[in-house]
């Protein structure tokens, strides 16, 4: 992400006017481990670094490390909550936030971070998750039933068009709820939700795909049979990584895949007990419970019409 | 739909094997020579395919001229050897399909036949009701540009009303107002692409009006989405521990048009009927269509509806119960 030079200058001025070198170095240490302002600036430890120079170094280092928005988030927190028991006013904060918003980011009050405005761009990490950091996410896993048979039975162009139809349905359902497709293999994939009520967003996305697929199969399916999917929703802690192979080793993701593969009927959605238990009773009661073992029950949703 | 294939080719059965298995088509493969008496052999409004490779060079122009003159049939040409040089001419003279060498290699899909019928805007042969009421339409169009206040038109009417009134009122006045505002706002959002208007609105629901073009009724699909998505609407937009239940009824009929808020003096049998259907006949959590609306159900959805009896002189169809 490119940060405009006027924003860098503004942030430098804000930092220089709001903290001394020692304090701003502490700020930097919150995000960059063992941050040494002397090594970074080249000043000898016996010399006093001018505030402006230290501020400029810190801000530019944050930009280089891809942590500029996170640094501003830190300054917002310090401004609102104080720092180490002291009230600390950060200058020019409103202008800085406005500039970041003009770049296509929104400040998410709940998660206290800048995230991309979905009307402007949609990246895998919402413009905010950091590689190697832990986050609590909800996942939706979708898989086409009998993919291998379908691929053998129908011409390639029919399969491609049908699977594209499904992808559009999934995208429509998840994008309005700020989900992100983390993996899509043509016959299915994995979607992540981070913001707001992520369990609810993932579940309602799954329900919407089931409903739309019902209509699609009645009216528009290109195959001589209904297109069927299995969908599962689960949530938990996950280390964010761009490496898909690494991500698939995560326990929560593996559990989501298992719920979809082993506990989900065709054209239905299965929701793990931990996700279900987060719902209000009215929504919870509209699902059917399926026992998994003596202690565990999943919730399931499908559209099945009377015969 | 009846399908008649006139061909001597030994590969013709294999080409139509998928169609033979389909319950939507009745397949008849006849010797090529029988095409001379096609109007006697084939039922009216059938789909005919002539395999041009089964005729000599001299016979082909005569066969094509005969097909061009047919009034009651839809026809296509099968050309396994790509004999025909000017395929466009076939379509200029009324053909609805052309199957050349490349397409003849694989079995024909039912989707292809659907495209052929869509191409010709074929109505179901025995859909007498649609033909009958077509003469009674006063088309209002696809938008409101030609609709004038005080004049009568045909519209699609969608009645929608909440069932769980007691539960909603028990939440208190503030919650009640927010819920009804959210409900109306959601309906407005979902009907907007079809130029629907929330036309009459009362405490727990009201009447939505859609312009009607006399050809199709996509409002039925919109109503179906509203019906299927009630749990999603409730969980996502209401912010209370409650799932809305509502009745939906759709009808196509005539009324004089007046703007929202000016409808107090309107006297309309159609408006009375749809309100009676929605408020007195329909059970909680159901979706009904009158016969007039059912005739325009988007293709593919018809078997989702079952007869629900007669009401005020109309046959009523009901969306099957979701188990």
């Amino acid at each position: 992400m490119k940060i405009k030079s006027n924003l860098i200058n503004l942030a430098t001025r804000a930092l220089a006017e709001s903290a001394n070198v020692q304090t701003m170095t502490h700020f930097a240490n919150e995000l960059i481990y063992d941050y040494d302002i002397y090594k970074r600036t080249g000043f000898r430890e016996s010399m006093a670094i001018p505030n402006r120079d230290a501020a400029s170094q810190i801000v530019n280092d944050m930009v280089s490390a891809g942590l500029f928005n996170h640094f501003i988030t830190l300054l917002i927190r310090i401004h609102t909550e104080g720092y180490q028991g002291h009230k600390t006013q950060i200058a020019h904060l409103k202008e800085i936030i406005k500039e970041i918003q003009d770049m296509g980011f929104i400040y998410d009050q709940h998660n206290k971070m800048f995230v991309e405005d979905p009307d402007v761009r949609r990246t895998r990490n919402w413009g905010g998750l950091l590689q190697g950091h832990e986050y609590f996410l909800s996942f939706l896993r979708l898989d086409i039933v009998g993919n291998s048979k379908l691929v053998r039975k129908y011409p390639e162009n029919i399969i491609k068009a049908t699977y594209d139809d499904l992808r559009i349905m999934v995208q429509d359902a998840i994008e309005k709820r700020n989900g992100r497709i983390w993996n899509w293999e043509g016959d299915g994939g994995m979607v992540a939700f981070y913001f707001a009520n992520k369990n609810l967003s993932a579940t309602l996305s799954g329900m919407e795909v089931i409903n739309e697929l019902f209509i699609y199969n009645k009216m528009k399916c290109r195959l001589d049979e209904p297109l069927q999917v299995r969908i599962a929703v689960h949530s938990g802690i996950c280390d964010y990584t761009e490496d898909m192979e690494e991500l698939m080793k995560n326990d929560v993701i593996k559990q989501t895949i298992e719920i979809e593969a082993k506990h989900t009927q065709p054209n239905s959605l299965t929701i793990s007990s931990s996700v279900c238990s987060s719902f209000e009773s009215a929504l919870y009661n509209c699902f059917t419970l399926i026992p998994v073992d003596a202690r565990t029950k999943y919730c399931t949703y499908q559209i099945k019409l009377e015969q | 739909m009846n399908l008649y294939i006139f061909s001597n080719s030994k590969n013709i059965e294999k080409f139509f094997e998928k169609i033979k298995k389909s319950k939507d088509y009745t397949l008849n493969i006849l010797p090529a020579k029988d095409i001379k008496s096609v109007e006697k052999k084939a039922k009216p409004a059938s789909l005919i395919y002539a395999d041009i490779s089964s005729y000599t060079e001299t016979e082909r122009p005569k066969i094509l001229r005969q097909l061009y003159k047919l009034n009651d049939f839809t026809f296509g040409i099968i050309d396994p050897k790509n004999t025909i040089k000017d395929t466009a001419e076939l379509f200029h003279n009324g053909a609805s399909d052309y199957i050349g060498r490349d397409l003849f290699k694989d079995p024909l899909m039912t989707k292809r036949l659907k495209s052929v019928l869509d191409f010709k805007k074929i109505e179901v042969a025995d859909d007498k009701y649609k033909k009958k009421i077509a003469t009674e339409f006063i088309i209002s169009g696809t938008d409101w540009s030609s609709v004038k206040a005080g004049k009568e038109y045909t519209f699609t009417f969608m009645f929608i009303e909440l069932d769980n009134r007691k539960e909603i009122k028990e939440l208190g006045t503030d919650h009640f107002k927010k819920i009804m505002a959210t409900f109306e706002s959601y309906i407005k959002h979902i009907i907007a692409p079809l130029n629907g208007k929330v036309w009459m609105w009362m405490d727990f629901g009201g009447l939505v009006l859609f312009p009607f073009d006399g050809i199709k009724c996509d409002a039925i699909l919109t109503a179906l989405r509203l019906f299927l998505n009630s749990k999603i609407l409730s969980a996502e937009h209401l912010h209370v521990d409650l799932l809305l239940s509502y009745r939906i009824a759709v009808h196509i009929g005539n009324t004089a048009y007046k703007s929202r808020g000016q409808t107090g003096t309107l006297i309309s049998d159609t408006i009375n009927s749809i309100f009676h259907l929605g408020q007195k006949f329909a059970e909680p959590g159901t979706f009904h269509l009158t016969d007039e609306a059912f005739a325009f159900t988007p293709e593919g959805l018809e078997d989702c509806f079952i007869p629900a009896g007669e009401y005020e002189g109309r046959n009523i169809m009901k969306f099957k119960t979701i188990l």
Side-chain angles (χ1 to χ4, degrees), chain A residues 133-156:
Chain A
H133 284 228
E134 257 184 17
Y135 298 96
F136 190 94
L137 293 139
S138 297
F139 295 100
L140 178 148
R141 158 87 181 166
L142 179 143
D143 193 53
I144 291 177
V145 174
N147 169 59
S148 319
K149 270 191 191 163
L150 292 176
V151 165
R152 281 197 298 271
K153 186 174 172 184
Y154 294 95
E156 191 184 328

Side-chain angles (χ1 to χ4, degrees), chain A residues 88-197:
Chain A
T88 310
Q89 297 285 307
I90 306 292
H92 309 295
L93 208 48
K94 272 190 183 156
E95 295 158 66
I96 294 171
I97 293 171
K98 170 92 181 38
E99 287 288 325
I100 295 176
Q101 284 170 343
D102 287 347
M103 276 167 49
F105 288 88
I106 307 167
Y107 185 69
D108 182 88
Q109 292 278 1
H110 180 75
N111 289 291
K112 295 195 177 359
M113 63 191 288
F114 283 100
V115 293
E116 62 201 5
D117 181 344
D119 289 337
V120 175
R121 79 177 70 78
R122 289 173 195 269
T123 58
R124 189 187 163 80
N125 70 338
W126 294 273
L129 302 195
L130 291 173
Q131 179 84 11
H133 284 228
E134 257 184 17
Y135 298 96
F136 190 94
L137 293 139
S138 297
F139 295 100
L140 178 148
R141 158 87 181 166
L142 179 143
D143 193 53
I144 291 177
V145 174
N147 169 59
S148 319
K149 270 191 191 163
L150 292 176
V151 165
R152 281 197 298 271
K153 186 174 172 184
Y154 294 95
E156 191 184 328
N157 61 322
I158 298 285
I159 291 293
K160 185 181 180 313
T162 304
Y163 287 13
D164 283 348
D165 290 340
L166 178 66
R167 177 155 182 162
I168 290 170
M169 265 183 255
V170 173
Q171 250 169 290
D172 282 350
I174 64 141
E175 282 184 359
K176 65 173 83 138
R177 297 174 176 101
N178 212 9
R180 292 292 186 273
I181 295 179
W182 274 11
N183 183 38
W184 192 264
E185 289 153 356
D187 64 336
M190 188 71 75
V191 180
F193 295 83
Y194 179 62
F195 293 97
N197 189 334

Side-chain angles (χ1 to χ4, degrees), chain B residues 77-108:
Chain B
I77 301 295
I78 300 172
D79 186 8
K81 295 175 186 171
N82 280 6
T83 314
I84 292 178
K85 300 287 175 236
D86 186 355
T87 51
E89 194 188 350
L90 299 172
F91 288 93
H92 297 158
N93 285 294
S96 297
D97 200 10
Y98 171 81
I99 293 169
R101 179 169 49 212
D102 285 343
L103 211 59
F104 194 68
K105 286 177 189 164
D106 297 310
L108 189 69

Side-chain angles (χ1 to χ4, degrees), chain B residues 198-214:
Chain B
V198 174
W199 194 42
M200 296 180 183
W201 196 251
M202 289 87 58
D203 285 346
F204 291 95
L207 202 58
V208 173
L209 213 58
F210 296 88
F212 179 64
D213 65 5

Side-chain angles (χ1 to χ4, degrees), chain A residues 191-209:
Chain A
V191 180
F193 295 83
Y194 179 62
F195 293 97
N197 189 334
K198 57 200 84 157
N199 283 340
L200 188 64
S201 295
T203 301
L204 297 183
S205 295
M207 288 168 72
E208 186 171 316
V209 172

